[in-house]
Amino acid sequence: MSDAVVEVRGHRKERVGVVVSDVQDKTIVVKVDRRTPHPLYQKIVKVSKKFTAHDEKNEAKKGDTVRIAETRPMSKNKCWRLLEIISRPEQE
């Protein structure tokens, strides 16, 4: 009568953004845009933030649209990891 133990991870945040740098080894910088109302004037403005994410296989390239997820701290600034590459830019 062994019950299958299911390890439940907490809810992890996910973000979708564009890779702006892939120069570092196993690390990418992802720019995530969001739209939010201005605190005083209520006009919708675009706000962007850069996240440093872990890319184990160095598969994401500059310009790719990717999905990243929150994870344990891997270095001073890196606490996100690459989940998937959603799309690549068209090559001309």
Side-chain angles (χ1 to χ4, degrees):
M1 292 189 193
S2 63
D3 294 324
V5 178
V6 178
E7 185 177 332
V8 179
R9 293 175 126 178
H11 179 70
R12 307 268 173 134
K13 295 175 188 168
E14 290 187 3
R15 302 282 186 262
V16 175
V18 177
V19 177
V20 292
S21 173
D22 63 343
V23 176
Q24 303 170 70
D25 186 34
K26 297 187 179 182
T27 302
I28 56 175
V29 179
V30 180
K31 180 178 159 193
V32 176
D33 293 325
R34 63 187 178 90
R35 294 162 39 105
T36 184
H38 186 278
L40 178 62
Y41 301 113
Q42 300 303 313
K43 178 184 176 178
I44 302 297
V45 292
K46 188 165 73 168
V47 180
S48 63
K49 185 171 179 179
K50 291 180 183 177
F51 295 96
T52 309
H54 185 69
D55 180 10
E56 183 65 37
K57 300 174 186 169
N58 285 324
E59 53 192 6
K61 300 298 176 201
K62 189 172 179 178
D64 292 354
T65 302
V66 296
R67 175 174 284 117
I68 58 175
E70 203 173 31
T71 188
R72 66 178 179 81
M74 297 197 171
S75 69
K76 178 182 174 183
N77 297 318
K78 187 163 63 166
C79 56
W80 295 81
R81 63 186 163 84
L82 176 68
L83 283 184
E84 66 173 325
I85 298 173
I86 297 173
S87 65
R88 296 193 180 271
E90 294 179 10
Q91 299 295 328
E92 294 182 14

